Amino acid sequence: MEGTLGALTQDVVHGLRLASKRPGFTVAVVATLAFGIGANAAVFEIINTVLLRPLPYTQSERLFALFERDSVDTSLRVASYPTALDWREQSDVFDGVAFVRGSPMAFQTLEQTGLVIGAFVSEDFFPLLAVPAAIGRGLQVADYTAGTNQVAVLAHSAWQNWFGADSSVVGNVFQTEGGIFTIVGVMPPEFVYPNWGAIDTDMWLPIPAMPAQEMAALQQREFHADSWVIARLRPEVPLPTAKAQMNTIAGGLAVAYPSSGSWTRVELTPLRNFLVRDVRTRLLLLGGAVAFVLLIGCANLANLYLAHGAARRQEFAVRLALGAGRWRVIQQLVTETTVLAVAGGLLGSWIATVAIAVIKTTNAFSLPRITELRSSMSVLVFAAVLTALTVIVFSTISAKQAASSNPTKFLNNRYGSSAKGSRLPDGVLAVQLGLTFVLLIGAALLVESFVRISTVDPGFDTNNLAVVPITPPSPAYDSPSAAIDLYNRVKESLGAVPGVEGVALVNHVPPNRAGARTSAAFGQAPTGPSDDLRVVFRTVSAGYFSTMGIPVLAGREFSNEDLTGPPGPLIVNQSLARMWAGENSVGQRMGVLKAASTRPDFGEPLVGTIVGIVGDIGDFGADPEPRPYVYVPFTHNPWASLNAVVRTNIAPEQIIPSMVQAVRQVDPAIPLGGRFADVRAVAAARFGITSRQRFNAILLTAFAIAALTLAAIGIYGVMAYTVTLETKLIGIRIALGATPSRIARSTVLRVVRIALVGLTGGVVAALALTRFVVGMLYEVEPTRLEMFAGVGLLLVSVIVVAGYIPARRASTVDPSIALRSE
C-alpha cells in the first residue's frame, strides 16, 4: 500500500514538474477545460433553475395560469376581473382561483418617495401559493373586510431597497394612491410572483385597497390589461376534465355577455411554462452553443494529446526498453492527465460560480426566477462529472499511445513511425467543423437581426429628446381636472428650463410598446367584436408631433383650442389611414373606446372627426408591420399618469438635474426615483429596448468566434502533428523527385476534403436547427442561400489558411536532414 501511495505521489510530483516545463501545452489544456466546464456548468445551473426546477410554491405542478382563448384565431388574452370571479364561483375543479392586478404606484415614506410595482391580489392568492412569509405574515381573509386597516406585504427586494432590510419593519407605514398602509410581512427572496416582463413585484395589497378610480375600471368586463389569473387544480381532477368544464363556463358567459364575441374558450397553462414562455428558446440555444464549444474543445484536446503523445513515443520506448512495466507507464500518464483535468475542473467550477453571481446580480439575460439562481452542488457535481469524463477519455488516448510503443521496433526503425494509426480520424475533424458552421450560422442570423432592428426608422427624431415621467401623487390629483392642471403646470415649468426648446405630453413614449390595444370603428362608435378595429390608443398634448419630429402628412396636429374644446378631434397614423381603402381620411368620422384604465369612463365611446394624418412609429417587436394608432387630446381622456417629452438644444443628460428640479418646484411629492420614474434620454431608452437582441447576438457571436478559433487551431495542430510524424517520409518523397508544391498541395487537399465533409454536415444540421431561432429574428430569412454561402466561404478560408501553414513547412523539408535525423 505504501509503495502504491509513494508511486502515486511520485507521479503527481512528476506531472506537476512536466506541467511547469511545458507551459504552452499546460495552459492550452487547462484553459480549454476550464472554459468548457465553467460555461457548461453555469448554463446547466441556469437551465436547471429556470426550466427544470419546480417553482418555489407548494405543489407547484398543480398551479396553472388561466387565459381567455378566441375560438376563431386561438389568440389569448388576460381575463377581466368580473370574468375571473365568475370562473371562481362557477367551477369546482380548482382548490382556488386568484386574480392579480399589477400597477405602478407613487410610494412615500418619511424618508423618500419613488415609484414601485404593486400587485393587488384577491383572497385566494397567498393560500393558493402557500409560501410562508420570511418576516411577519401574508395577507389574510380579514384584511379584505371593509373598515379594517389597510395592510401590505413587501417583496424581499423592496424590503432591502426601501427599508434597509430592517428586521423590525412590520408595523411601519407608507403612503400610496390608496392611502396609508401598514406593513404586515416580508416574503422570502424567491417569492416574486407575478413577474411583469423582466420586472418583479415590489409589494402585495388586497384588491379592496385599490384606488377608487382604478377599481371602477377593474370592475368592467371588457377591461383586459396588466393582470393574471392563477388556479390550483384539485388532485383528483384530470386536466382534460378541468379544461372541458372551463370551456363550458366560458361559452355560457359569452351567451350572457354578447360583447365577449368569440372568446369562448379557456386556456390552462402550467404556471412554470407560462413564467418561462419567452426565454425557453434562448436558454436552449445558449445551452446548445456552449455544448458545441465544449465538444469542439474536446476534439482539440484530443489533438493536443495525440501530438504530445507522439512527441513522447521515443521516451516511452526508452523507458520500456529499460525495464519499466507497461502498466507503470500507463499509471504515470493517467496521473499526469488527472493533474491537468483536476486543475481545469477547479478553475471551471470557479468560473461557473463567478458567472452565476454576475448573471444573478445584473440579470443580463432578463430571466424569470433570477432570484432562485445560485451556485449549488449541482454545479460542482456537473463540473466533477465533466472532469471525470475528460480524465477517462484523454488518459485512454495517452495510455493507448504508451501501450503501442514497441521499444524494439521503434528504436530500430530508421525512418520513424508513420502517422498512420495515430492520426485523429478525419471524421472527427469534420464533425468539429460542422458544429462550428452551425454556430457561425446562428451568430450571423442574430447579428443581422440585431442590425435590422437597430436600424429601424423610429419615425421621429431621437436626438436631444428626454422623457420625464409624471405620476401625480394620490389623493390630491385623483380627479381628472386636478390631474390636467398638474400636467399643464409641469409642462410649463419644464419649458422654462434653459436648454429646453419644446415640451409635450403623451401617455406612452415611443419606442415603448406599452398599452393594450382598444377598439375603434369607422364612422361610428365601436359596436362589437365583429366590426371593431384594434388600435393603439395615445393621448397627447398640442405640439406633440412637432416636438417629437413626427411628420404631419395631411391635415394638422392638435391645437390648444382642441384641448380646451369639446371632445371630437382625432389624429390617425398612416397605417390606419390606409384602411379607408384609398379615401382621404381627413374629415372622416371615427369612434374609439377610451382607454385610461384608472378612470371610471374606461371603455366609453369617443366619436370624433379626423383632423390629421401623421407618420408611422417604428415598431421594435417581432412583427415589423407598423401598428394602427389613434391620437386623442390628453384632456379628453386624462390618464392617471403621463410622460413629458422634452426637446433640448444640448445633450439631455446635461440638464436632467435641472428638469428634475423643475418638476420638484411644481410638487415635490411627484416620484422621480425607482423603476419607471427616472428621467432619461429617449436614445438610451431605444438602446435598452434592443438589449435582448444585442445580448443574444453578442453572446452567440462570441461562442462562434471561439469555435472558429478552436477549429482553426485544431486543423493547424493536426496538420503540424502529421508533418512532424511524416518528416522522414516527406524527405524520402522529395529525394525521389516530389516537388515542394506537390507536397504542400497534398496536405492542403486533405484539409479541403475535411472542410467540405464538415461543411456538408454543418449545412444539413443548420437547416434543421435554424427553426429554433426563428422567433428571435427580425425580418431575417433563416435559410438564405447567400448567408450559408458566405459563412461557408469564411469557414473554408480560415481552415485552409490554418492548414496551409504546416503544409508550407512540409514543402521546405530538407531530405538530407530528414533522413539523418533520429
Side-chain angles (χ1 to χ4, degrees), residues 7-41:
L8 180 60
T9 303
Q10 184 180 11
D11 289 343
V12 170
V13 173
H14 182 67
L16 292 172
R17 188 182 302 117
L18 280 178
S20 65
K21 289 183 177 180
R22 46 184 188 182
F25 175 81
T26 300
V27 169
V29 171
V30 173
T32 301
L33 279 173
F35 175 76
I37 291 173
N40 276 271

Side-chain angles (χ1 to χ4, degrees), residues 494-652:
L494 287 170
V497 173
V500 171
E501 292 185 338
V503 182
L505 302 172
V506 62
N507 55 346
H508 295 297
V509 180
N512 192 334
R513 290 170 52 85
R517 296 194 186 192
T518 190
S519 295
F522 298 134
Q524 61 181 16
T527 57
S530 60
D531 59 357
D532 285 354
L533 299 169
R534 302 298 292 173
V535 300
V536 180
F537 188 94
R538 292 289 184 260
T539 63
V540 301
S541 67
Y544 169 76
F545 300 103
S546 57
T547 301
M548 290 290 291
I550 299 174
V552 178
L553 306 177
R556 60 176 178 84
E557 64 175 308
F558 295 133
S559 63
N560 289 323
E561 289 72 23
D562 292 327
L563 273 63
T564 57
L570 303 173
I571 292 176
V572 299
N573 71 337
Q574 189 175 17
S575 291
L576 183 54
R578 292 195 186 103
M579 296 182 182
W580 260 269
E583 295 181 26
N584 184 359
S585 56
V586 174
Q588 301 287 338
R589 301 281 289 172
M590 185 171 191
V592 62
L593 298 185
K594 295 182 179 180
S597 61
T598 58
R599 300 297 182 192
D601 62 351
F602 171 85
E604 291 184 2
L606 190 160
V607 181
T609 302
I610 296 173
V611 299
I613 302 173
V614 296
D616 291 330
I617 297 298
D619 208 337
F620 296 90
D623 184 3
E625 293 299 321
R627 299 182 294 172
Y629 277 69
V630 171
Y631 297 90
V632 176
F634 82 96
T635 53
H636 297 170
N637 188 208
W639 285 49
S641 63
L642 285 182
N643 294 278
V645 287
V646 182
R647 176 70 64 185
T648 64
N649 54 26
I650 58 176

Side-chain angles (χ1 to χ4, degrees), residues 165-176:
D166 180 6
S167 58
S168 60
V169 70
V170 171
N172 286 12
V173 298
F174 63 88
Q175 183 173 343
T176 184

Side-chain angles (χ1 to χ4, degrees), residues 74 167 335 439 463 466 489 497 642:
T74 70
S167 58
T335 305
L439 281 180
N463 296 316
R489 287 189 289 129
V497 173
L642 285 182

Side-chain angles (χ1 to χ4, degrees), residues 253-588:
L253 293 176
V255 173
Y257 305 99
S259 61
S260 298
S262 56
W263 298 92
T264 59
R265 296 288 184 269
V266 178
E267 184 77 14
L268 278 70
T269 303
L271 187 59
R272 185 174 68 179
N273 294 353
F274 169 67
L275 292 178
V276 301
R277 59 196 180 280
D278 58 348
V279 300
R280 181 184 299 273
T281 300
R282 286 196 296 136
L283 285 183
L284 295 179
L285 178 68
L286 177 62
V290 295
F292 278 14
V293 172
L294 179 63
L295 290 175
I296 294 169
C298 286
N300 273 12
L301 285 176
N303 295 338
L304 288 171
Y305 270 88
L306 279 173
H308 182 65
R312 297 180 63 189
R313 291 186 72 179
Q314 186 170 3
E315 173 197 339
F316 300 154
V318 171
R319 295 187 61 188
L320 291 171
L322 293 176
R326 197 174 299 274
W327 285 108
R328 182 70 185 86
V329 174
I330 292 175
Q331 177 185 326
Q332 178 190 326
L333 293 174
V334 170
T335 305
E336 291 175 12
T337 306
T338 303
V339 168
L340 296 184
V342 169
L346 291 175
L347 183 58
S349 298
W350 177 80
I351 290 174
T353 301
V354 172
I356 288 172
V358 171
I359 291 169
K360 183 176 181 179
T361 302
T362 62
N363 198 11
F365 290 88
S366 298
L367 295 174
R369 308 183 66 183
I370 192 68
T371 55
E372 301 173 49
L373 183 64
R374 58 184 55 87
S375 296
S376 62
M377 283 301 297
S378 61
V379 173
L380 300 180
V381 169
F382 190 76
V385 169
L386 286 177
T387 301
L389 288 174
T390 302
V391 170
I392 292 171
V393 171
F394 298 123
S395 295
T396 301
I397 293 173
S398 297
K400 180 178 180 295
Q401 287 187 329
S404 65
S405 297
N406 186 316
T408 304
K409 290 181 62 178
F410 187 88
L411 296 175
N412 288 335
N413 185 358
R414 293 181 58 195
Y415 303 117
S417 297
S418 162
K420 186 177 180 180
S422 301
R423 288 181 179 176
L424 186 69
D426 290 356
V428 175
L429 291 172
V431 170
Q432 182 181 5
L433 297 182
L435 295 176
T436 303
F437 179 82
V438 173
L439 281 180
L440 288 171
I441 283 292
L445 289 172
L446 291 179
V447 168
E448 182 176 356
S449 177
F450 171 67
V451 170
R452 286 182 180 271
I453 201 171
S454 300
T455 55
V456 169
D457 181 6
F460 61 96
D461 184 6
T462 61
N463 296 316
N464 292 346
L465 191 65
V467 180
V468 181
I470 310 172
T471 304
S474 180
Y477 305 101
D478 284 353
S479 70
S481 59
I484 291 171
D485 177 66
L486 177 68
Y487 296 143
N488 284 325
R489 287 189 289 129
V490 170
K491 179 175 179 289
E492 182 180 353
S493 182
L494 287 170
V497 173
V500 171
E501 292 185 338
V503 182
L505 302 172
V506 62
N507 55 346
H508 295 297
V509 180
N512 192 334
R513 290 170 52 85
R517 296 194 186 192
T518 190
S519 295
F522 298 134
Q524 61 181 16
T527 57
S530 60
D531 59 357
D532 285 354
L533 299 169
R534 302 298 292 173
V535 300
V536 180
F537 188 94
R538 292 289 184 260
T539 63
V540 301
S541 67
Y544 169 76
F545 300 103
S546 57
T547 301
M548 290 290 291
I550 299 174
V552 178
L553 306 177
R556 60 176 178 84
E557 64 175 308
F558 295 133
S559 63
N560 289 323
E561 289 72 23
D562 292 327
L563 273 63
T564 57
L570 303 173
I571 292 176
V572 299
N573 71 337
Q574 189 175 17
S575 291
L576 183 54
R578 292 195 186 103
M579 296 182 182
W580 260 269
E583 295 181 26
N584 184 359
S585 56
V586 174
Q588 301 287 338

Side-chain angles (χ1 to χ4, degrees), residues 85-226:
L85 294 179
D86 288 335
W87 286 354
R88 183 176 65 182
E89 293 170 3
Q90 298 181 31
S91 66
D92 60 7
V93 294
F94 300 115
D95 282 333
V97 177
F99 183 87
V100 184
R101 157 73 171 163
S103 176
M105 303 187 303
F107 176 84
Q108 293 176 272
T109 65
L110 293 176
E111 293 80 20
Q112 53 189 330
T113 63
L115 206 66
V116 296
I117 305 302
F120 292 93
V121 300
S122 63
E123 300 94 321
D124 286 339
F125 180 77
F126 279 95
L128 203 64
L129 299 180
V131 176
I135 301 175
R137 63 174 177 85
L139 297 179
Q140 300 174 348
V141 174
D143 298 324
Y144 291 79
T145 304
T148 59
N149 292 330
Q150 296 193 113
V151 298
V153 176
L154 296 180
H156 193 270
S157 59
W159 172 60
Q160 291 180 318
N161 297 334
W162 292 92
F163 295 93
D166 180 6
S167 58
S168 60
V169 70
V170 171
N172 286 12
V173 298
F174 63 88
Q175 183 173 343
T176 184
E177 285 94 327
I180 296 176
F181 289 81
T182 301
I183 298 169
V184 297
V186 178
M187 297 306 293
E190 63 274 10
F191 190 96
V192 295
Y193 185 82
N195 176 280
W196 311 95
I199 306 295
D200 292 334
T201 295
D202 289 313
M203 61 184 65
W204 296 268
L205 312 97
I207 280 185
M210 187 178 296
Q213 64 270 23
E214 287 197 44
M215 195 65 187
L218 192 68
Q219 290 174 338
Q220 299 190 44
R221 190 165 292 272
E222 291 309 309
F223 180 78
H224 305 272
D226 301 327

